[in-house]
Amino acid sequence: MTNFENVNQQIVTVKSRADKALNSLKGILLGIISDDRIDAKEMKELGLWAKDHYDLIERNPFREFMLLIENTVSNEIPAKEAVEDLYWLCQKYEHDSIYYNGITSDLQLLQGIFHGILADGVLNDDEIFRLHAWLSENEHLNSYYPYDEIRSLVLSIVVDKKIEEEERTILTAFVKQFVELRNNEIAEKIERDTSDVNISGICAVDPEITFEGKTFCITGILSRGTRNELQEAIQNKGGISVNNISKKTDYLIIGDMNNACWSYSCYGRKVEKALDLRKSGHTIVLVHEFDIFDAV
C-alpha cells in the first residue's frame, strides 16, 4: 500500500471515529435529559466522554464540545443549560455540516473584505456601497455572526444614499474588530480615529438598564464574576433572574469569555432565540456582561 493510500485510510478512520463519537454524545445527552433531571454523576460521565475523545479536539466541532463541558463546572453554568447547549450544537453540526463548509468560506471571505477595505486606513464611500452590495448578494449568511450586525449597520448608513463622517467612524469601529492589520501605522491610526466609539457586536451599545421588575437571563461564560454573584446583584437591584429565555425576558446578558457556540460560527442557543423573539416584535435587549456589572 502506498503512503498516499495510508493517509487516505487514516483520514477515513478518523472521520468514522468522529461520526461515531458525535452520535454517542447525542445519545448520552438524550439519555441524560430524558428524566428532566441532571445530577453530578451524569455530568461526570460527560467529562469522561470528553477525556476519552480528547484526541479529536482539533476536529470540528469537538473543540467546542470539550470547552463547553470543561467550563460547565468551573464557571457555574447550570448543568441543564450546558446539556441543552451541547445537544443544540450536535444538531446544528449534523444538519449544517454540508452547508457549513460553504458558510465558513463566505464568512472568511467577509472577514477578508473587512481587512481589504481597512488596509489603507480609510473607509471610503465606494467601499461602503460595494460592501452593501456584497451583503445583499449573500443573504444565505443570515443568522450567522457577524453578518446580521454588519448588514443592519450598513443598511442604516446607506439608506439615504449619503454617508456622514460619524457613520463612517462607527462602521470603521465595527469592522476593525475582525481585522488584524500588519501595518502598525495604519492600525494605530484606526485606533485613534475610533477611540471614542463603543461597539459591542450584537449587544446594545451603552444601554440604559432598568432593574426594578425586569427579567434577566444569562448566557455564556462570565469573565468578571460568577453567575451566582451576578444573579444576586440583579436581585438586590429589584430585578428577576431566570435560567431560560422567554417572551417575558427583558434582558439577555451575554458572557464575555469564549462561548463554544459562538466559536462554531453561529449564534448560541439563547442568543438565537432572543434574536428570533426580537424579529417577532418582542423588545428583548441583548447586553454585554460588562455593562451589567458596571450597572450593578
Side-chain angles (χ1 to χ4, degrees):
M1 183 179 289
T2 66
N3 289 336
F4 179 75
E5 289 171 330
N6 278 327
V7 170
N8 271 348
Q9 186 177 42
Q10 290 170 9
I11 292 172
V12 171
T13 301
V14 172
K15 184 181 185 305
S16 176
R17 175 165 160 71
D19 289 344
K20 183 178 180 180
L22 185 62
N23 288 327
S24 72
L25 177 60
K26 281 186 65 180
I28 292 170
L29 295 171
L30 280 173
I32 287 175
I33 62 178
S34 61
D35 61 357
D36 290 325
R37 293 193 301 272
I38 303 171
D39 59 29
K41 292 179 181 177
E42 291 170 327
M43 292 309 297
K44 182 178 180 180
E45 190 61 30
L46 273 180
L48 292 173
W49 177 92
K51 184 178 180 180
D52 287 344
H53 296 89
Y54 197 79
D55 59 305
L56 295 171
I57 195 168
E58 297 301 328
R59 188 180 183 90
N60 273 331
F62 289 93
R63 177 178 294 277
E64 288 72 38
F65 292 150
M66 307 303 185
L67 282 173
L68 192 53
I69 292 170
E70 289 173 5
N71 284 320
T72 297
V73 176
S74 60
N75 291 281
E76 299 181 1
I77 295 177
K80 185 174 186 295
E81 178 179 330
V83 169
E84 288 175 348
D85 280 347
L86 280 167
Y87 189 72
W88 178 87
L89 193 55
C90 281
Q91 289 182 306
K92 196 78 175 175
Y93 178 79
E94 184 178 61
H95 294 162
D96 294 351
S97 57
I98 297 174
Y99 187 52
Y100 173 70
N101 291 330
I103 291 292
T104 302
S105 176
D106 287 339
L107 288 173
Q108 290 170 347
L109 177 59
L110 177 58
Q111 186 173 5
I113 292 172
F114 288 164
H115 198 150
I117 61 180
L118 286 188
D120 60 357
V122 178
L123 190 55
N124 64 46
D125 289 11
D126 287 342
E127 289 170 333
I128 294 173
F129 282 112
R130 287 181 181 176
L131 174 60
H132 172 244
W134 188 92
L135 293 168
S136 299
E137 292 167 1
N138 288 273
E139 291 184 347
H140 63 285
L141 295 176
N142 183 47
S143 86
Y144 285 83
Y145 182 76
Y147 176 85
D148 283 353
E149 289 67 46
I150 187 65
R151 189 174 188 212
S152 176
L153 180 56
V154 171
L155 277 173
S156 69
I157 290 173
V158 303
V159 65
D160 59 358
K161 294 185 170 53
K162 62 179 181 179
I163 299 166
E164 306 291 342
E165 287 309 307
E166 182 180 4
E167 294 173 329
R168 192 188 316 278
T169 303
I170 291 172
L171 182 57
T172 301
F174 184 91
V175 168
K176 77 172 184 181
Q177 299 175 99
F178 308 94
V179 176
E180 186 176 352
L181 291 170
R182 302 300 182 188
N183 187 325
N184 291 332
E185 183 180 346
I186 296 296
E188 289 169 4
K189 174 187 180 300
I190 291 173
E191 285 298 325
R192 289 194 302 271
D193 292 345
T194 60
S195 60
D196 294 331
V197 181
N198 180 20
I199 295 292
S200 300
I202 68 164
C203 300
V205 177
D206 195 21
E208 290 188 14
I209 302 170
T210 302
F211 288 92
E212 189 65 38
K214 299 297 184 180
T215 301
F216 295 78
C217 182
I218 302 171
T219 188
I221 302 166
L222 303 176
S223 63
R224 281 199 179 178
T226 67
R227 286 196 175 203
N228 287 341
E229 290 170 345
L230 184 53
Q231 287 171 337
E232 184 177 347
I234 289 169
Q235 290 164 3
N236 289 339
K237 298 278 284 187
I240 303 164
S241 182
V242 297
N243 290 325
N244 295 306
I245 192 169
S246 71
K247 294 178 181 179
K248 296 181 180 179
T249 307
D250 297 295
Y251 296 93
L252 178 63
I253 303 165
I254 299 178
D256 183 65
M257 291 181 69
N258 286 338
N259 182 313
C261 297
W262 286 85
S263 60
Y264 182 56
S265 297
C266 58
Y267 294 128
R269 179 176 54 87
K270 286 183 179 177
V271 177
E272 189 174 74
K273 186 171 182 180
L275 292 172
D276 287 340
L277 287 171
R278 287 207 308 197
K279 290 174 183 177
S280 301
H282 299 284
T283 56
I284 183 170
V285 180
L286 280 67
V287 295
H288 194 280
E289 67 161 286
F290 291 174
D291 290 316
I292 289 289
F293 274 111
D294 289 344
V296 297

